[in-house]
Amino acid sequence: TIMFAPEKIALSELVGAGLVFQRGTSPEATYVFKHALVQDAAYATLLRSRRQELHARIARVLEEAFPETVETQPELLAHHCTQAGLTGQAIDYWQRAGERALARSANLEASRHFGQGIELIKSLSPTPERTRREFRLYLGLGPATRAIKGHAAPETLDAFTRARELIDADTSLPEQMVVFYGLWGVHFVRAEIEAAREVAEQALRLMSHNADATSQAHANRLMGESLFALGEFVEARQYLQRAIAFCDSDRATVTDLR
């Protein structure tokens, strides 16, 4: 804990008054409010500008002195940057927190983190950079929502639909394939097979030029499964065999998208 002399005196007075508990000895001591209501009351007495200043200061100290915390708890930095009004930094940390949670299959946490970033990004002026950042947030929110709500949920459709709207010239083909797979899954599970087939056709057209083997394999798989569900077995077999061929080339992976 980094403190100046006046702060040490103030903390000592709070400890003496029984409002704060001290754990350990200075300078490694930590301090905890006796009750959450006391903490809330103290926080409420601060002017907004002072609260922002303190949150910004905490974020700066964490970044400079506690890199392991930044790495393992980006949501903590995201919170302090949000409260400090450091919107750009906060969005980046919410993104990192969401991706880290998603990698651990902590889907509810991931959804909340991505959602926080999406709320903040609404306050930024429209620019290509904002579009790209918003796309990345929805690219994470889609799989998290699917895991929580299910493939056919309206929220899942909304997330992937918004992600598709944000695709631009800088969006990589693997990223686009994640979006198409998400949209295809909504329609397929809803038994909207013709709509699923249309998404698969879009993916195939997009992936037919210069796509990586994994994206090609997935696009052919989506079309093959759509045709199979429609009873068009001969044509379905052709697409599924192509998907297998891309996987057999050792250039593609057979794992599911997200």
Side-chain angles (χ1 to χ4, degrees):
T1 303
I2 299 174
M3 293 182 294
F4 296 109
E7 294 170 331
K8 293 182 180 180
I9 295 172
L11 283 171
S12 297
E13 291 176 351
L14 290 172
V15 171
L19 296 175
V20 170
F21 295 131
Q22 178 178 332
R23 296 174 179 172
T25 58
S26 183
E28 302 298 328
T30 59
Y31 299 86
V32 180
F33 280 99
K34 182 178 181 180
H35 196 283
L37 291 177
V38 177
Q39 177 179 331
D40 292 343
Y43 189 80
T45 62
L46 294 171
L47 293 175
R48 185 170 181 269
S49 59
R50 178 58 176 160
R51 289 202 302 266
Q52 288 184 320
E53 177 188 337
L54 290 172
H55 281 293
R57 185 175 173 186
I58 293 169
R60 184 170 61 253
V61 169
L62 288 172
E63 288 177 327
E64 294 175 354
F66 301 95
E68 71 284 355
T69 300
V70 177
E71 180 66 27
T72 60
Q73 300 181 61
E75 64 275 11
L76 181 60
L77 274 294
H79 166 74
H80 287 297
C81 288
T82 299
Q83 296 302 317
L86 302 173
T87 303
Q89 291 175 248
I91 292 170
D92 290 342
Y93 279 121
W94 285 124
Q95 178 77 44
R96 290 168 60 176
E99 290 175 351
R100 190 171 184 277
L102 197 62
R104 305 195 319 271
S105 296
N107 296 297
L108 187 59
E109 291 179 16
S111 176
R112 290 171 178 167
H113 297 331
F114 289 126
Q116 290 273 16
I118 288 168
E119 283 302 309
L120 285 178
I121 212 164
K122 293 176 182 178
S123 65
L124 300 183
S125 301
T127 64
E129 175 62 21
R130 171 193 155 161
T131 297
R132 178 64 185 160
R133 295 170 80 180
E134 187 176 358
F135 171 79
R136 290 181 61 236
L137 288 164
Y138 275 102
L139 191 67
L141 180 64
T145 304
R146 180 174 60 209
I148 298 167
K149 300 286 188 178
H151 282 74
E155 294 90 344
T156 304
L157 177 61
D158 290 343
F160 283 114
T161 298
R162 181 56 180 157
R164 181 168 62 176
E165 293 170 351
L166 293 165
I167 288 174
D168 60 19
D170 293 326
T171 308
S172 70
L173 291 178
E175 288 174 330
Q176 293 185 58
M177 194 62 234
V178 171
V179 176
F180 281 117
Y181 174 74
L183 288 172
W184 177 88
V186 172
H187 294 303
F188 194 83
V189 173
R190 289 180 174 185
E192 300 166 351
I193 307 304
E194 282 294 349
R197 177 179 182 171
E198 290 177 6
V199 173
E201 288 175 343
Q202 294 172 21
L204 273 173
R205 285 196 299 270
L206 182 66
M207 302 303 158
S208 62
H209 302 291
N210 302 319
D212 61 285
T214 299
S215 296
Q216 293 267 28
H218 282 301
N220 279 277
R221 171 204 157 194
L222 299 190
M223 178 58 79
E225 290 195 28
S226 299
L227 292 170
F228 182 85
L230 289 168
E232 300 178 25
F233 303 122
V234 174
E235 194 175 359
R237 179 181 179 183
Q238 295 173 357
Y239 284 102
L240 293 173
Q241 284 179 326
R242 289 176 193 166
I244 293 171
F246 278 111
C247 293
D248 287 344
S249 69
D250 292 329
R251 293 180 294 130
T253 61
V254 294
T255 54
D256 240 351
L257 290 164
R258 292 271 182 152

